[in-house]
């Protein structure tokens, strides 16, 4: 019999576990806060297949997406601490397969001893569906973190995508290059169900990142590096903005809209025009 831990040597699992540790080290994952899902490539599924067991039951999600039928996702477990993923991956993360109707999952590896996918799996799932569509299949990662500076800003700024985006773009020169489309903002909602999933996925049709008021941030991307980098860049910009606000000093100058246009021109990115004056 093959040990089911052999799967952990496969590159995609190593990258996934590394990202959980990186997020923990940033201070974004107190206790069980935050979650990560990854839509596997067919060749990754093939490499992992010998470790799969398919006798566990299908579980309905309360949301549905035809374009994710039959896909496999790596997911963190509900109530699991991202800090512990590296220590015991087989209990804290798992792989789920989606059924042909695109409305249920079953665990095929991991989440040992009664674990379940993250309570935010419906949000991740609908976000995967819209980002897959919006990026022609390139988007594979959805990441939710409890990023403190972004959360703090949701008490100070109006919960408006234009206001948030401008504050973040002006907080560090590279920001408009990293997220030229800006960030969406979801008002405060009860976490962990189909309602917040639908509200977030509506925004993710247009944005690759969305702020959850008084809760955290959702980011999407083609791979672990790009998605982690997006989370990091947005959170760092929020931190800078907060430091400036907290200084109590008047703001003497900032990056102007003409500056933003100049960056966009030289770096070959298109900024969301309605967010510029
Ligand atoms: P889970 O432990 O179910 O992943 O929930 C954590 C969280 O951040 C909820 O928004
Ligand atoms: Zn959360």
């Amino acid at each position: 019999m093959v040990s089911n831990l052999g799967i952990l040597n496969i590159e995609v699992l190593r990258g996934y576990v590394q990202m959980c540790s990186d997020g923990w080290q940033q201070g974004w994952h107190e206790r069980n806060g935050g979650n990560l899902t990854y839509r596997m490539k067919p060749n990754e599924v093939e490499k992992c297949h010998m470790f799969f067991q398919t006798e566990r039951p299908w579980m309905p999600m309360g949301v549905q997406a035809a374009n994710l039928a039959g896909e496999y996702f790596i997911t963190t477990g509900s109530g699991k601490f991202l800090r512990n993923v590296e220590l015991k991956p087989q209990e804290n993360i798992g792989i789920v397969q989606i059924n042909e109707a695109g409305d249920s999952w079953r665990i095929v590896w991991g989440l040992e001893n009664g674990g379940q996918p993250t309570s935010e799996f419906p949000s991740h799932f609908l976000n995967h569906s819209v980002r897959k569509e919006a990026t022609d299949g390139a988007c594979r990662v959805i990441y939710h973190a409890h990023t403190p500076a972004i959360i703090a800003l949701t008490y100070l700024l109006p919960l408006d995508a234009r206001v948030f985006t401008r504050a973040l773009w002006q907080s560090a020169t590279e920001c408009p290059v990293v997220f030229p489309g800006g960030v969406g903002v979801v008002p405060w909602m009860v976490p962990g169900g189909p309602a917040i999933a639908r509200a977030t996925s509506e925004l993710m049709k247009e944005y690759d990142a969305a702020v959850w008021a008084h809760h955290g941030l959702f980011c999407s991307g083609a791979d672990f590096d790009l998605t982690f980098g997006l989370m990091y860049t947005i959170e760092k910009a929020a931190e800078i903005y907060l430091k400036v606000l907290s200084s109590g000093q008047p703001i003497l100058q900032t990056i102007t809209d003409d500056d933003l246009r100049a960056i966009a021109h030289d770096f070959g990115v298109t900024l969301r025009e309605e967010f510029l004056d």
Side-chain angles (χ1 to χ4, degrees):
M1 183 169 157
V2 267
S3 156
N4 69 350
L5 297 185
I7 195 171
L8 297 168
N9 294 321
I10 296 173
E11 195 181 341
V12 64
L13 268 297
R14 284 152 71 122
Y16 183 96
V17 170
Q18 173 78 54
M19 181 152 160
C20 293
S21 300
D22 290 346
W24 156 249
Q25 277 162 20
Q26 289 304 319
W28 299 340
H29 300 294
E30 78 292 342
R31 206 174 177 280
N32 65 310
N35 24 72
L36 173 65
T37 57
Y38 174 79
R39 184 169 60 84
M40 297 174 79
K41 297 177 181 167
N43 70 321
E44 292 163 343
V45 174
E46 214 171 286
K47 282 185 196 146
C48 294
H49 208 267
M50 64 187 289
F51 301 99
F52 290 172
Q53 292 179 331
T54 54
E55 65 271 13
R56 290 167 86 170
W58 291 106
M59 303 296 285
M61 291 183 276
V63 294
Q64 193 268 346
N67 70 341
L68 298 180
E71 297 265 14
Y72 289 80
F73 291 92
I74 313 176
T75 178
T76 46
S78 184
K80 303 295 185 186
F81 297 15
L82 264 71
R83 173 177 181 269
N84 293 337
V85 167
E86 187 180 22
L87 305 173
K88 260 197 180 170
Q90 69 278 17
E91 285 187 15
N92 294 293
I93 65 171
I95 298 178
V96 295
Q97 179 187 13
I98 305 302
N99 66 352
E100 284 310 310
D103 64 4
S104 303
W105 51 255
R106 68 174 172 188
I107 298 167
V108 297
W109 178 84
L111 292 173
E112 286 176 4
N113 302 325
Q116 302 272 309
T118 169
S119 61
E120 304 293 3
F121 199 80
S123 280
H124 283 248
F125 185 76
L126 287 187
N127 287 333
H128 274 290
S129 173
V130 301
R131 294 312 298 161
K132 182 182 178 187
E133 171 92 22
T135 61
D136 239 346
C139 177
R140 294 198 169 268
V141 187
I142 302 285
Y143 182 33
H144 166 54
H146 293 177
T147 42
I150 274 288
I151 296 171
L153 278 189
T154 65
Y155 294 86
L156 298 172
L157 294 179
L159 299 175
D160 175 82
R162 189 176 194 274
V163 173
F164 261 80
T165 301
R166 290 179 61 80
L168 296 169
W169 279 350
Q170 289 170 345
S171 293
T173 294
E174 299 276 311
C175 285
V177 181
V178 178
F179 47 101
V183 297
V185 180
V186 181
W188 187 87
M189 291 179 78
V190 176
I196 196 167
R198 290 199 185 92
T200 312
S201 66
E202 272 310 305
L203 287 179
M204 295 296 259
K205 287 178 184 164
E206 289 184 55
Y207 298 97
D208 53 14
V211 174
W212 275 7
H214 320 320
H215 185 154
L217 185 58
F218 252 88
C219 287
S220 65
D223 61 31
F224 297 131
D225 278 350
L226 290 170
T227 313
F228 191 85
L230 180 60
M231 184 75 76
Y232 194 106
T233 307
I234 294 174
E235 173 62 4
K236 186 164 184 182
E239 226 174 286
I240 294 166
Y241 193 79
L242 267 184
K243 280 185 175 153
V244 173
L245 285 183
S246 319
S247 74
Q249 301 295 310
I251 293 176
L252 296 184
Q253 59 274 320
T254 187
I255 301 170
T256 66
D257 285 57
D258 282 345
D259 296 338
L260 291 171
R261 287 192 174 90
I263 298 166
H265 177 267
D266 281 20
F267 283 80
V269 298
T270 307
L271 297 181
R272 188 179 293 270
E273 190 53 42
E274 69 264 30
F275 285 2
L276 294 172
D277 283 338

